[in-house]
Amino acid sequence: MRNKLALVLAAGAFASAVSAQQASAPIARELTVPGNPILADGDYYSTDPAPFVADGQLWILAGRDEAASDVNDFIMPEWQLLKTADPASGKWTHYPAIIKPENVFAWAEEARAYAGQIIQGPDKRYYLYAPVLEKNSSAEDRFAIGVAVADSPLGPWRDAHPSGPIISQRVPVANKIQNIDPTILIDDDGRVYIYWGTFGQLRGMELARDMITPKGPEQTISGLTGFFEAPWIMKRKGTYYMLYAGNKAGPTSDCTPAVYYACIAYGSAPSPMGPWTYRGVALKPVSSTTSHPGAVEFKGQWYLAYHTADARGGGHFRRSVALDKMEWDDSVTPARIRTVVPTLRPQPPLAPSRNIARSAWATASNDPVPVQFWIKALNNGALKEAPLPPDMWGSWSANNPPRQWIEYRWDKPVTIDGSRIWFWNDQPAGSGVGVAPPAKWHLEYWNPVGKGNWKAVPRASSYGTGTGSFQDVSFAKVNTRCLRAVMDASTDGKTHAALAVQEWEVLAPAAEPVAIRGDGSPPAACQ
């Protein structure tokens, strides 16, 4: 019995020692990765990157997405870190669990570890600016920004302002915005500035050199066209730059065609508080609807960190951090950021497929498509368990017409004999509101004989109108350059519902190598 007791005590002591060691030295994973995203296997999702340089290495603070594949919510319980001595080497150290809000801020709720930033202060310590939910708060929106401090990026971290957040809807002055996405600049003269905001509201304020005490008034920042969220402040050659997630949407926008998708836009200013001037787009929309920038100079090279949905099992709420070089055009004043072209690690070749839709160019009868939808979703090869509006083509408007069509155009004629379409709805068949399955639909191909005309595909099988699965149609072979799915809208006899399609495949008689269309000029219309 005495020996058993000794073993139990020894095991307990060992466990306590391991726990203490883990608290002071977070678990690390050594990785060698062939490209973006950095964490791509789906074991860990990473988001909202905030790069910084410390101890001669490039670090990235990131949030951690843990939403299930069918959950459309930001489930983000903690922050993690990545570091590398050389991004080109592909060698990274991953620290999966650095901080949970409730373990540092006694006044914070669990989870909701939103986009933060780490910066080294004038005292050589590291400061984490962290948006978290404030518990026991009467604020309409309880997001607030706290500050943690540590001697190392790996911690241990403690609350630098234990009395509560430094910014909320209550302090230092009352506001009505959601107080998230902080970004910090220590200027060349040692003055400290913090910026934050979302939903089109951007604020800025000077902090004292203690890194936590508000010093100047809270100012509204303007001039950054299409600002939505995710500001990132930086300075280069005497000019101040603000990167941000922009959602100025529309068919002619330089930012994004769909309002749910963001680009990374930027502006410049001659002083920390402006005036700010919009300068353009640093990164076009990526595979995730949200976009979040962080930029840093490391060993003479600038890098842009951002996130995508490109990891295995990824999605809009299961994002993964990527890093690419960011180049400058110094032939103009102020210097321009050259649009970053995102890179992707080598992908296995796609298996041959009968589906040739991915080589087509898509258009629709309601072009330009309403900005909440995205025409490119029709043939991107992706189906979501819980799709957002930009994951589909849709026709919702204040006055829906009785008929709509979607169309594929190829550069040269193709031979086809089948099709599959995935309808989406939020209202039942027979509805005259919302988005409902079509009352009926059919396929038409362009017949160039004579003057040319649209004809129904011959000997078609039945046209199903169900949702939540592909509706398959087979027909006799046709050779054509254009194909339409023509849909009659559901109606209650008074008004018509809208229509929506998440994916539309077009089938060749036999499997062939998959060709994916780029963003070049569209093929000529069939008319």
Side-chain angles (χ1 to χ4, degrees), residues 415-436:
T415 299
I416 55 177
D417 65 355
S419 182
R420 307 169 75 212
I421 196 165
W422 190 296
F423 297 112
W424 184 88
N425 70 305
D426 61 14
Q427 297 295 322
S431 176
V433 297
V435 180

PDB file of all heavy atoms in Angstrom, residues 415-436:
ATOM      1  N   THR A 415     -19.027  19.042 -76.771  1.00  0.00           N
ATOM      2  CA  THR A 415     -20.068  18.014 -76.912  1.00  0.00           C
ATOM      3  C   THR A 415     -20.522  17.599 -75.524  1.00  0.00           C
ATOM      4  O   THR A 415     -19.694  17.211 -74.680  1.00  0.00           O
ATOM      5  CB  THR A 415     -19.541  16.798 -77.687  1.00  0.00           C
ATOM      6  OG1 THR A 415     -19.143  17.219 -78.997  1.00  0.00           O
ATOM      7  CG2 THR A 415     -20.619  15.725 -77.808  1.00  0.00           C
ATOM      8  N   ILE A 416     -21.829  17.663 -75.287  1.00  0.00           N
ATOM      9  CA  ILE A 416     -22.373  17.391 -73.959  1.00  0.00           C
ATOM     10  C   ILE A 416     -23.618  16.517 -74.080  1.00  0.00           C
ATOM     11  O   ILE A 416     -24.297  16.518 -75.116  1.00  0.00           O
ATOM     12  CB  ILE A 416     -22.720  18.699 -73.211  1.00  0.00           C
ATOM     13  CG1 ILE A 416     -23.671  19.562 -74.044  1.00  0.00           C
ATOM     14  CG2 ILE A 416     -21.454  19.473 -72.883  1.00  0.00           C
ATOM     15  CD1 ILE A 416     -24.118  20.839 -73.346  1.00  0.00           C
ATOM     16  N   ASP A 417     -23.910  15.787 -72.988  1.00  0.00           N
ATOM     17  CA  ASP A 417     -25.125  14.967 -72.993  1.00  0.00           C
ATOM     18  C   ASP A 417     -25.760  14.847 -71.602  1.00  0.00           C
ATOM     19  O   ASP A 417     -26.526  13.933 -71.350  1.00  0.00           O
ATOM     20  CB  ASP A 417     -24.838  13.570 -73.564  1.00  0.00           C
ATOM     21  CG  ASP A 417     -23.883  12.758 -72.704  1.00  0.00           C
ATOM     22  OD1 ASP A 417     -23.353  13.300 -71.704  1.00  0.00           O
ATOM     23  OD2 ASP A 417     -23.650  11.579 -73.028  1.00  0.00           O
ATOM     24  N   GLY A 418     -25.419  15.782 -70.714  1.00  0.00           N
ATOM     25  CA  GLY A 418     -26.021  15.728 -69.392  1.00  0.00           C
ATOM     26  C   GLY A 418     -25.707  16.970 -68.578  1.00  0.00           C
ATOM     27  O   GLY A 418     -24.848  17.785 -68.940  1.00  0.00           O
ATOM     28  N   SER A 419     -26.425  17.101 -67.471  1.00  0.00           N
ATOM     29  CA  SER A 419     -26.224  18.248 -66.595  1.00  0.00           C
ATOM     30  C   SER A 419     -26.702  17.894 -65.195  1.00  0.00           C
ATOM     31  O   SER A 419     -27.566  17.023 -65.011  1.00  0.00           O
ATOM     32  CB  SER A 419     -26.984  19.475 -67.125  1.00  0.00           C
ATOM     33  OG  SER A 419     -26.755  20.590 -66.300  1.00  0.00           O
ATOM     34  N   ARG A 420     -26.126  18.577 -64.194  1.00  0.00           N
ATOM     35  CA  ARG A 420     -26.545  18.425 -62.795  1.00  0.00           C
ATOM     36  C   ARG A 420     -26.627  19.815 -62.189  1.00  0.00           C
ATOM     37  O   ARG A 420     -25.721  20.628 -62.375  1.00  0.00           O
ATOM     38  CB  ARG A 420     -25.543  17.578 -62.002  1.00  0.00           C
ATOM     39  CG  ARG A 420     -25.223  16.237 -62.608  1.00  0.00           C
ATOM     40  CD  ARG A 420     -24.038  15.595 -61.899  1.00  0.00           C
ATOM     41  NE  ARG A 420     -24.418  15.077 -60.587  1.00  0.00           N
ATOM     42  CZ  ARG A 420     -23.614  15.025 -59.539  1.00  0.00           C
ATOM     43  NH1 ARG A 420     -22.383  15.509 -59.623  1.00  0.00           N
ATOM     44  NH2 ARG A 420     -24.027  14.505 -58.401  1.00  0.00           N
ATOM     45  N   ILE A 421     -27.685  20.083 -61.449  1.00  0.00           N
ATOM     46  CA  ILE A 421     -27.872  21.413 -60.871  1.00  0.00           C
ATOM     47  C   ILE A 421     -28.321  21.277 -59.424  1.00  0.00           C
ATOM     48  O   ILE A 421     -29.086  20.367 -59.077  1.00  0.00           O
ATOM     49  CB  ILE A 421     -28.887  22.232 -61.713  1.00  0.00           C
ATOM     50  CG1 ILE A 421     -28.818  23.713 -61.381  1.00  0.00           C
ATOM     51  CG2 ILE A 421     -30.303  21.687 -61.576  1.00  0.00           C
ATOM     52  CD1 ILE A 421     -29.503  24.608 -62.412  1.00  0.00           C
ATOM     53  N   TRP A 422     -27.808  22.165 -58.572  1.00  0.00           N
ATOM     54  CA  TRP A 422     -28.094  22.123 -57.133  1.00  0.00           C
ATOM     55  C   TRP A 422     -28.829  23.412 -56.771  1.00  0.00           C
ATOM     56  O   TRP A 422     -28.235  24.471 -56.660  1.00  0.00           O
ATOM     57  CB  TRP A 422     -26.793  22.007 -56.341  1.00  0.00           C
ATOM     58  CG  TRP A 422     -26.962  21.725 -54.875  1.00  0.00           C
ATOM     59  CD1 TRP A 422     -27.552  22.522 -53.946  1.00  0.00           C
ATOM     60  CD2 TRP A 422     -26.494  20.561 -54.161  1.00  0.00           C
ATOM     61  NE1 TRP A 422     -27.489  21.939 -52.704  1.00  0.00           N
ATOM     62  CE2 TRP A 422     -26.845  20.733 -52.798  1.00  0.00           C
ATOM     63  CE3 TRP A 422     -25.817  19.413 -54.542  1.00  0.00           C
ATOM     64  CZ2 TRP A 422     -26.532  19.794 -51.818  1.00  0.00           C
ATOM     65  CZ3 TRP A 422     -25.509  18.482 -53.571  1.00  0.00           C
ATOM     66  CH2 TRP A 422     -25.870  18.655 -52.232  1.00  0.00           C
ATOM     67  N   PHE A 423     -30.134  23.307 -56.613  1.00  0.00           N
ATOM     68  CA  PHE A 423     -30.938  24.476 -56.223  1.00  0.00           C
ATOM     69  C   PHE A 423     -30.844  24.712 -54.715  1.00  0.00           C
ATOM     70  O   PHE A 423     -30.651  23.775 -53.930  1.00  0.00           O
ATOM     71  CB  PHE A 423     -32.406  24.269 -56.611  1.00  0.00           C
ATOM     72  CG  PHE A 423     -32.644  24.149 -58.084  1.00  0.00           C
ATOM     73  CD1 PHE A 423     -33.052  22.945 -58.646  1.00  0.00           C
ATOM     74  CD2 PHE A 423     -32.459  25.236 -58.915  1.00  0.00           C
ATOM     75  CE1 PHE A 423     -33.273  22.822 -60.003  1.00  0.00           C
ATOM     76  CE2 PHE A 423     -32.679  25.136 -60.282  1.00  0.00           C
ATOM     77  CZ  PHE A 423     -33.085  23.928 -60.821  1.00  0.00           C
ATOM     78  N   TRP A 424     -31.014  25.961 -54.334  1.00  0.00           N
ATOM     79  CA  TRP A 424     -31.024  26.340 -52.909  1.00  0.00           C
ATOM     80  C   TRP A 424     -32.311  27.096 -52.629  1.00  0.00           C
ATOM     81  O   TRP A 424     -32.826  27.818 -53.491  1.00  0.00           O
ATOM     82  CB  TRP A 424     -29.830  27.230 -52.577  1.00  0.00           C
ATOM     83  CG  TRP A 424     -29.721  27.589 -51.115  1.00  0.00           C
ATOM     84  CD1 TRP A 424     -29.086  26.894 -50.141  1.00  0.00           C
ATOM     85  CD2 TRP A 424     -30.278  28.743 -50.478  1.00  0.00           C
ATOM     86  NE1 TRP A 424     -29.210  27.526 -48.930  1.00  0.00           N
ATOM     87  CE2 TRP A 424     -29.945  28.674 -49.113  1.00  0.00           C
ATOM     88  CE3 TRP A 424     -31.039  29.825 -50.919  1.00  0.00           C
ATOM     89  CZ2 TRP A 424     -30.323  29.643 -48.187  1.00  0.00           C
ATOM     90  CZ3 TRP A 424     -31.435  30.794 -50.006  1.00  0.00           C
ATOM     91  CH2 TRP A 424     -31.070  30.703 -48.659  1.00  0.00           C
ATOM     92  N   ASN A 425     -32.845  26.916 -51.429  1.00  0.00           N
ATOM     93  CA  ASN A 425     -34.083  27.636 -51.082  1.00  0.00           C
ATOM     94  C   ASN A 425     -34.137  27.929 -49.595  1.00  0.00           C
ATOM     95  O   ASN A 425     -33.509  27.256 -48.773  1.00  0.00           O
ATOM     96  CB  ASN A 425     -35.307  26.802 -51.469  1.00  0.00           C
ATOM     97  CG  ASN A 425     -35.474  25.578 -50.585  1.00  0.00           C
ATOM     98  OD1 ASN A 425     -34.550  24.764 -50.453  1.00  0.00           O
ATOM     99  ND2 ASN A 425     -36.650  25.434 -49.979  1.00  0.00           N
ATOM    100  N   ASP A 426     -34.880  28.968 -49.256  1.00  0.00           N
ATOM    101  CA  ASP A 426     -35.237  29.220 -47.859  1.00  0.00           C
ATOM    102  C   ASP A 426     -36.751  29.296 -47.680  1.00  0.00           C
ATOM    103  O   ASP A 426     -37.240  29.578 -46.582  1.00  0.00           O
ATOM    104  CB  ASP A 426     -34.566  30.491 -47.324  1.00  0.00           C
ATOM    105  CG  ASP A 426     -34.957  31.763 -48.078  1.00  0.00           C
ATOM    106  OD1 ASP A 426     -35.938  31.742 -48.854  1.00  0.00           O
ATOM    107  OD2 ASP A 426     -34.276  32.786 -47.890  1.00  0.00           O
ATOM    108  N   GLN A 427     -37.485  29.066 -48.789  1.00  0.00           N
ATOM    109  CA  GLN A 427     -38.949  29.014 -48.759  1.00  0.00           C
ATOM    110  C   GLN A 427     -39.410  27.786 -49.533  1.00  0.00           C
ATOM    111  O   GLN A 427     -38.716  27.316 -50.446  1.00  0.00           O
ATOM    112  CB  GLN A 427     -39.566  30.287 -49.383  1.00  0.00           C
ATOM    113  CG  GLN A 427     -39.230  31.574 -48.634  1.00  0.00           C
ATOM    114  CD  GLN A 427     -39.812  31.613 -47.241  1.00  0.00           C
ATOM    115  OE1 GLN A 427     -40.939  31.147 -47.014  1.00  0.00           O
ATOM    116  NE2 GLN A 427     -39.049  32.151 -46.292  1.00  0.00           N
ATOM    117  N   PRO A 428     -40.579  27.242 -49.234  1.00  0.00           N
ATOM    118  CA  PRO A 428     -41.039  26.026 -49.914  1.00  0.00           C
ATOM    119  C   PRO A 428     -41.548  26.302 -51.320  1.00  0.00           C
ATOM    120  O   PRO A 428     -41.821  27.446 -51.709  1.00  0.00           O
ATOM    121  CB  PRO A 428     -42.171  25.546 -49.005  1.00  0.00           C
ATOM    122  CG  PRO A 428     -42.697  26.793 -48.375  1.00  0.00           C
ATOM    123  CD  PRO A 428     -41.496  27.679 -48.155  1.00  0.00           C
ATOM    124  N   ALA A 429     -41.684  25.229 -52.077  1.00  0.00           N
ATOM    125  CA  ALA A 429     -42.283  25.329 -53.413  1.00  0.00           C
ATOM    126  C   ALA A 429     -43.674  25.933 -53.306  1.00  0.00           C
ATOM    127  O   ALA A 429     -44.418  25.671 -52.362  1.00  0.00           O
ATOM    128  CB  ALA A 429     -42.356  23.952 -54.044  1.00  0.00           C
ATOM    129  N   GLY A 430     -44.022  26.770 -54.273  1.00  0.00           N
ATOM    130  CA  GLY A 430     -45.320  27.433 -54.259  1.00  0.00           C
ATOM    131  C   GLY A 430     -45.313  28.769 -53.550  1.00  0.00           C
ATOM    132  O   GLY A 430     -46.318  29.474 -53.528  1.00  0.00           O
ATOM    133  N   SER A 431     -44.160  29.147 -53.002  1.00  0.00           N
ATOM    134  CA  SER A 431     -44.066  30.441 -52.327  1.00  0.00           C
ATOM    135  C   SER A 431     -43.904  31.560 -53.346  1.00  0.00           C
ATOM    136  O   SER A 431     -43.360  31.359 -54.438  1.00  0.00           O
ATOM    137  CB  SER A 431     -42.883  30.442 -51.363  1.00  0.00           C
ATOM    138  OG  SER A 431     -42.724  31.713 -50.764  1.00  0.00           O
ATOM    139  N   GLY A 432     -44.340  32.744 -52.982  1.00  0.00           N
ATOM    140  CA  GLY A 432     -44.156  33.916 -53.822  1.00  0.00           C
ATOM    141  C   GLY A 432     -43.179  34.910 -53.212  1.00  0.00           C
ATOM    142  O   GLY A 432     -43.027  36.015 -53.726  1.00  0.00           O
ATOM    143  N   VAL A 433     -42.520  34.504 -52.139  1.00  0.00           N
ATOM    144  CA  VAL A 433     -41.544  35.375 -51.475  1.00  0.00           C
ATOM    145  C   VAL A 433     -40.278  34.577 -51.212  1.00  0.00           C
ATOM    146  O   VAL A 433     -40.240  33.354 -51.334  1.00  0.00           O
ATOM    147  CB  VAL A 433     -42.098  35.936 -50.145  1.00  0.00           C
ATOM    148  CG1 VAL A 433     -43.315  36.819 -50.391  1.00  0.00           C
ATOM    149  CG2 VAL A 433     -42.434  34.802 -49.183  1.00  0.00           C
ATOM    150  N   GLY A 434     -39.219  35.290 -50.798  1.00  0.00           N
ATOM    151  CA  GLY A 434     -37.973  34.634 -50.466  1.00  0.00           C
ATOM    152  C   GLY A 434     -37.351  33.937 -51.657  1.00  0.00           C
ATOM    153  O   GLY A 434     -37.516  34.352 -52.811  1.00  0.00           O
ATOM    154  N   VAL A 435     -36.643  32.852 -51.384  1.00  0.00           N
ATOM    155  CA  VAL A 435     -36.002  32.050 -52.423  1.00  0.00           C
ATOM    156  C   VAL A 435     -36.616  30.655 -52.377  1.00  0.00           C
ATOM    157  O   VAL A 435     -36.540  29.969 -51.358  1.00  0.00           O
ATOM    158  CB  VAL A 435     -34.478  31.962 -52.216  1.00  0.00           C
ATOM    159  CG1 VAL A 435     -33.837  31.116 -53.308  1.00  0.00           C
ATOM    160  CG2 VAL A 435     -33.851  33.350 -52.179  1.00  0.00           C
ATOM    161  N   ALA A 436     -37.230  30.232 -53.453  1.00  0.00           N
ATOM    162  CA  ALA A 436     -37.935  28.951 -53.508  1.00  0.00           C
ATOM    163  C   ALA A 436     -37.412  28.114 -54.671  1.00  0.00           C
ATOM    164  O   ALA A 436     -36.800  28.647 -55.615  1.00  0.00           O
ATOM    165  CB  ALA A 436     -39.439  29.174 -53.661  1.00  0.00           C
TER     166      ALA A 436
END
